[in-house]
Amino acid sequence: MALEEYAGDMSMCCRCSACKFVPLQQVKGFKHANVCPSISRYNFHFYSGGGRLNLGYAGLKNGFQYVPRYLDVLYNCQLCGACDVSCKYGMDMEVLRPIQEMRIKAVEDGHPHPALETVVSRMRATGSMVPVAGRKRGDWAEGLGLRNALEEKVEILYHVGCLTSFDPERQKVARATARVLDRAGVSFGVLGEAETCCGGRAYEMGHQADFLAQAAKSKELVEKTGVKTLVTSCATCYQVYKVLYDRFGLKDELEVLHITQLLERLLGEGRLKPSRGQEITVTYHDPCHLGRLGEPWIHWQGKKIPGDRFVFDPPKPYRRGTHGVYEPPRRVLAALPGVRLVEMDRIKEYAWCGGSCGGVIDSNPEFAEWTAAERLAEATCTGAEAIVTASPWSEKLFAQVLAKNGGDLAVYDIVELVDQAV
Ligand code: SF4
Ligand code: SF4
């Protein structure tokens, strides 16, 4: 949908500023009441969800002028969706959708962010969002004897994702995932060197045409395998296959699972029996793409009744972040001997972003690290010894910030803990 489609939503913004905070009824305390990294960092209304809607609406009425301040506002947003969820606590209107459309419009009007354009060009050339640096995509699987889903019939395709495939520090998650699936006797395969980027991060960066071209390649590959189920250990890839592809009519009947959902199933069926583990107190970070952004797409069809305020017939259901993947990772952690979970103040749909969303990690690494540091400080408040997540992007950024700023927290991907326990 083009930005114009959201003019009504943008005009509805009453500047109440609820999108800057965890809803009052849900807030646990002053220290962790903020929910939007952008307004918290830059402290000027245009850097909030509502502020961006005000800018977009003004642009629609008076024309967009791509002055440096506007572009700064546009690209210093994590697109984490926290504003959207907080606004919808009381309102029926879209917030994140028009903000995303403003980015797409900027790219189409010839104003991409230079750093993000570089990343997207890399994807076009190599099929990877991260530097390939002479490595091959399937290198992480060397010696594991995994089945190639393009050559052998398997029930489940394990999509590894760019960061987990190429980043030497994240490949451990791919290996742990493969080991755990193997131990549970799952019939799975990988695409090896043929795997390609899902394209979702290009979409967030505003490059919609590049996303659609990349998604077509990825879809074709998955179809060639004939699998009915795709599982991934990357929260972003999950959101892209599950939600974004569905929205654009690219998902068809494919079942898309995050690894935590499959692990929960395998534990329930007794196919995984965790018996060892370390005595450790952990806190769990809900990745935005697995949580509020991972809520299934709702296909609504009806008509918009014109008027001062828009009305939909039949009433349009809104995605409010409540149906993200929140319980599977918590149930998996609860099944691990010795692991005790303590929760942060901002969890589930009100979780503070881990800092790596919306291209900010590439366009403004300082802002990304600041956002992650805020989350790590919140995690430290719980008294946990480790922060566990289910996104390679969050895990990488947390580890990077801890190495830089210091701190006693350990960082784990949830699959690493399961791997240790089984
Ligand atoms: S976007 Fe929603 S919550 Fe934010 S100021 Fe506007 S109406 Fe209020
Ligand atoms: S998407 Fe996230 S960073 Fe952007 S305005 Fe909304 S809450 Fe703030």
Side-chain angles (χ1 to χ4, degrees):
M1 284 222 304
L3 183 60
E4 289 75 9
E5 298 287 327
Y6 297 102
D9 300 81
M10 292 189 280
S11 76
M12 249 177 92
C13 173
C14 60
R15 304 192 184 195
C16 66
S17 286
C19 50
K20 299 171 186 171
F21 306 102
V22 175
L24 193 58
Q25 296 85 341
Q26 304 290 336
V27 84
K28 305 270 170 50
F30 176 75
K31 193 166 184 174
H32 299 131
N34 290 346
V35 81
C36 167
S38 186
I39 188 69
S40 305
R41 178 75 173 136
Y42 297 106
N43 205 21
F44 187 67
H45 183 66
F46 282 150
Y47 288 82
S48 68
R52 289 183 167 89
L53 298 195
N54 303 155
L55 271 176
Y57 193 51
L60 277 184
K61 285 178 101 174
N62 305 314
F64 283 90
Q65 293 180 27
Y66 291 98
V67 295
R69 175 60 78 191
Y70 176 67
L71 292 170
D72 195 68
V73 169
L74 200 60
Y75 288 110
N76 279 314
C77 167
Q78 306 268 4
L79 293 171
C80 66
C83 52
D84 189 77
V85 166
S86 280
C87 176
K88 286 173 179 166
Y89 198 85
M91 302 285 282
D92 281 349
M93 58 181 269
E94 300 292 352
V95 182
L96 184 63
R97 299 286 332 115
I99 296 176
Q100 173 73 60
E101 292 296 335
M102 285 164 72
R103 262 203 204 183
I104 292 168
K105 180 168 174 49
V107 171
E108 289 173 353
D109 288 349
H111 298 278
H113 190 288
L116 302 186
E117 196 174 30
T118 303
V119 176
V120 175
S121 305
R122 181 192 297 135
M123 183 192 78
R124 254 182 249 133
T126 67
S128 169
M129 272 303 201
V130 300
V132 172
R135 289 182 286 264
K136 290 192 182 132
R137 196 176 259 269
D139 282 355
W140 65 269
E142 207 175 310
L144 294 181
L146 303 182
R147 280 183 276 185
N148 187 318
L150 288 169
E151 294 163 5
E152 292 180 56
K153 193 163 172 46
V154 290
E155 283 170 21
I156 296 180
L157 174 65
Y158 171 33
H159 174 84
V160 185
C162 300
L163 187 65
T164 314
S165 293
F166 287 112
D167 186 314
E169 293 298 314
R170 310 280 94 63
Q171 290 173 340
K172 61 186 176 179
V173 175
R175 285 193 285 268
T177 304
R179 270 195 300 269
V180 169
L181 293 180
D182 200 38
R183 274 177 215 147
V186 175
S187 160
F188 78 100
V190 292
L191 290 169
E193 284 172 39
E195 187 186 283
T196 194
C197 178
C198 62
R201 288 176 76 84
Y203 176 77
E204 288 193 348
M205 292 172 185
H207 294 255
Q208 180 167 266
D210 282 289
F211 157 67
L212 289 171
Q214 183 62 32
K217 289 183 202 167
S218 179
K219 176 178 159 63
E220 193 186 329
L221 261 177
V222 175
E223 280 173 357
K224 267 190 194 160
T225 66
V227 297
K228 294 196 167 48
T229 303
L230 178 148
V231 67
T232 179
S233 50
C234 174
T236 304
C237 297
Y238 168 79
Q239 188 264 351
V240 174
Y241 284 113
K242 173 85 181 178
V243 185
L244 209 50
Y245 279 27
D246 191 18
R247 192 187 140 210
F248 283 95
L250 299 166
K251 185 173 153 301
D252 300 331
E253 297 304 312
L254 185 71
E255 180 190 34
V256 178
L257 296 174
H258 185 259
I259 187 68
T260 53
Q261 295 172 307
L262 182 56
L263 290 175
E264 183 192 20
R265 202 181 278 178
L266 296 171
L267 287 162
E269 291 168 358
R271 291 167 70 183
L272 280 177
K273 293 189 173 63
S275 57
R276 321 170 261 174
Q278 44 179 328
E279 289 289 328
I280 189 168
T281 303
V282 304
T283 191
Y284 174 70
H285 167 69
D286 289 283
C288 304
H289 287 86
L290 190 58
R292 55 188 166 240
L293 301 178
E295 176 164 326
W297 189 255
I298 301 173
H299 291 277
W300 174 85
Q301 282 190 324
K303 57 178 190 238
K304 204 175 192 177
I305 299 172
D308 269 2
R309 286 286 174 261
F310 53 85
V311 176
F312 295 104
D313 182 25
K316 184 179 143 182
Y318 284 84
R319 293 166 71 238
R320 297 178 203 272
T322 41
H323 296 291
V325 180
Y326 301 122
E327 297 312 325
R330 289 174 168 81
R331 289 194 197 116
V332 169
L333 287 173
L336 305 182
V339 174
R340 189 173 80 91
L341 175 68
V342 286
E343 296 280 13
M344 287 184 268
D345 283 351
R346 292 171 290 192
I347 59 169
K348 301 183 179 176
E349 65 265 45
Y350 308 117
W352 179 263
C353 173
S356 57
C357 300
V360 167
I361 200 168
D362 294 296
S363 62
N364 187 352
E366 185 273 333
F367 176 35
E369 288 184 0
W370 176 86
T371 306
E374 290 286 305
R375 190 57 161 164
L376 291 168
E378 184 178 355
T380 304
C381 287
T382 64
E385 297 155 85
I387 182 164
V388 179
T389 185
S391 150
W393 296 93
S394 308
E395 194 232 325
K396 179 184 167 70
L397 192 55
F398 289 156
Q400 185 180 313
V401 170
L402 282 164
K404 208 169 179 177
N405 300 353
D408 295 331
L409 277 179
V411 185
Y412 291 107
D413 186 283
I414 191 165
V415 183
E416 288 181 88
L417 293 182
V418 176
D419 184 40
Q420 285 172 17
V422 298

